Amino acid sequence: MINDFREVEFAGERRYAMTLADDQFKDIWYTYGKVSFDEGDDCTMRFDYDVVEGRDFESEVEKSLFENKIGDALIELIKRGIEDRNLVFSGGTNEA
């Protein structure tokens, strides 16, 4: 899903930007921002992202497709982070 990573300066912060392996979006570099999960029966994930380099979306449908693909990629990154015990949680509460 994710093709490449690189470190970038964005909004005064050092972040890792990434691009998808998908030919349709391979020229768009983006970073993830805040990620949250709405508790409930379906546990919806919400996330912010910034496009740091690349082209504009041709339509709302294309933008929605991109957001779905980077959402899927984010889920894979979270799964890997859990498996590798290399995931950092900040904010929120721990009621365990």
Side-chain angles (χ1 to χ4, degrees):
M1 291 215 151
I2 293 179
N3 184 46
D4 199 6
F5 292 89
R6 70 177 177 187
E7 193 171 9
V8 296
E9 181 84 23
F10 184 77
E13 298 178 358
R14 303 289 295 165
R15 292 190 187 178
Y16 283 96
M18 54 207 72
T19 184
L20 297 172
D22 186 304
D23 283 342
Q24 183 177 0
F25 301 114
K26 67 181 178 186
D27 58 338
I28 300 174
W29 287 85
Y30 67 95
T31 63
Y32 291 107
K34 180 181 177 181
V35 178
S36 62
F37 296 90
D38 294 336
E39 294 183 29
D41 292 339
D42 59 354
C43 191
T44 304
M45 179 178 72
R46 301 190 186 284
F47 62 93
D48 296 329
Y49 71 94
D50 294 298
V51 173
V52 296
E53 185 179 307
R55 61 179 174 76
D56 291 332
F57 297 106
E58 295 175 9
S59 67
E60 285 299 313
V61 171
E62 184 185 46
K63 181 179 179 183
S64 180
L65 179 61
F66 176 77
E67 290 172 345
N68 285 333
K69 287 183 179 271
I70 67 173
D72 291 344
L74 179 56
I75 290 170
E76 289 304 312
L77 288 171
I78 291 170
K79 285 179 183 177
R80 279 191 231 159
I82 291 169
E83 289 169 2
D84 296 345
R85 298 179 182 261
N86 189 22
L87 190 65
V88 177
F89 170 79
S90 68
T93 60
N94 183 359
E95 298 178 10

